[in-house]
Amino acid sequence: MAQTFSAFVVFFYVDHLRVPAGWVAGAMVAHGILNAVLNPLVGAASDRHRTRWGRRVPWIGLGIVPLVAAFSLVWMPPDVSPTGLLVWFLVVVAVYDVAYVAVVLNTSALFPEIFRTTAERARGNTPRQIFGLVGMILGTAAAPLLYGSPLGWVGMGLVLGVLCLAFYLWSLAGMVERPVDEVAVAAREAALPLREQLRYTFANRAFVTYVLGSLLLQSTTALLLASVPFYVRYVLGGAEADATLVLAPIFVVAIPAIVGWSWVVRRVGPRRALLWSVAAYGVAVGLFLVPGTIEGAMVVAGLVGIGVAGMMQLLEVALGQVIDDDERRTGLRREGMYFGVNGFVVRGSVIVQAVVIAVVLGATGYDPDLSVAAQPEAVATGIRVLMGGVPLVVAGLAWLCFWGYPLRGLDVPSAGAGGEAGDDEPQDVELLSR
């Protein structure tokens, strides 16, 4: 659902529904802000409130149906004016955002809790990300086949929504939370109130370098996915369904590559593996500046898939390492806070995507009411830059962030075990509270 939304919602509302690109950009900025604000709030709440069903599972169970329903309604707007369409978008996406954060943040927070070492996370993340790739294939490469068929956009939303609902309900059976010493945890939480937790999180050097690099990478992938329909139509001269041909090689290559990156991270650690994967991704995505045919773009997409697999495998493994380091310092498992703040920051990628696309299309003279042949020549050049030039530069900045990531071993010592932390922050929760 997230990949379909990211890749096609701007194209749907701008190119098909004829809502002005600036309006859609503004709506996407509002979407990004709401989603970002919700992430740390929900993360902190799920960390600190326990029920007999656990900290995470109740959020997930309550959010699944609203999430799927809101996603489907995005593609089912009423027949109203562009202003009415904008209002519809804002309202439905607000519901989608609330449910999305409740479900996805808490699902993600279970990962480092269940798998505790780099080796465990690398192995456990492999089938997890392969299932994720199947979802990405359905959400991006298969979506054009659905909306380009007699089912249309409404049928696409319903088919993908029902499929996701079934898998989410199935996944509830495998969600396991570890028991904790409630008295000890309550004492530690009292010594480190929410405000201090937020301050400490944003002062964590390992997390700051990680999250900035993650934001930059998420921005490149969001921009890349949202630009593909424009790239296929206005640069390569293909049909809308050809977006599937351009996107599919990314996922076909990524599936076996995820297994390879699992092997790499178990031997060299998250930091070095991230540097290698970001470098491979940046070089590959820059090659989108070159092709003039669908076949050429497919070859480039296959190379991009190698780097994408690395990022899928490694980003959450590295964040788990940051959370382990935080537990060693505070005695608390704060997955919700870290995934929440991470979500707060990386949701900025939606804003970056919307603003960059709107600026480039506006500067090149793009007009959705004109045919492909009637578009100004600058449109094709601008879209090439969106696909290759901007992602290449931004990926380079992400590489620099991960170069400064201070946790350089395979694993962080467990709480109370001592050892190097990777930076100079306090390591005592009582000192932090003072």
Side-chain angles (χ1 to χ4, degrees), residues 301-373:
L303 296 175
V304 171
I306 298 172
V308 167
M311 294 186 297
M312 292 182 68
Q313 174 64 269
L314 301 169
L315 282 174
E316 290 192 17
V317 173
L319 184 53
Q321 191 180 45
V322 173
I323 292 167
D324 294 342
D325 182 56
D326 179 81
E327 183 192 21
R328 190 183 65 80
R329 298 165 181 278
T330 67
L332 296 172
R333 292 297 298 182
R334 300 197 299 137
E335 291 94 343
M337 174 64 74
Y338 276 99
F339 275 96
V341 175
N342 180 64
F344 172 81
V345 175
V346 301
R347 290 311 294 175
S349 64
V350 175
I351 299 174
V352 172
Q353 175 217 70
V355 171
V356 171
I357 290 178
V359 168
V360 171
L361 293 182
T364 59
Y366 165 81
D367 186 344
D369 292 321
L370 297 178
S371 66
V372 175

Side-chain angles (χ1 to χ4, degrees), residues 27-37 93 97 343-344 347-348 350-351:
M28 291 296 286
V29 169
H31 153 64
I33 292 172
L34 175 61
N35 194 291
V37 171
V93 171
D97 282 333
F344 172 81
R347 290 311 294 175
V350 175
I351 299 174

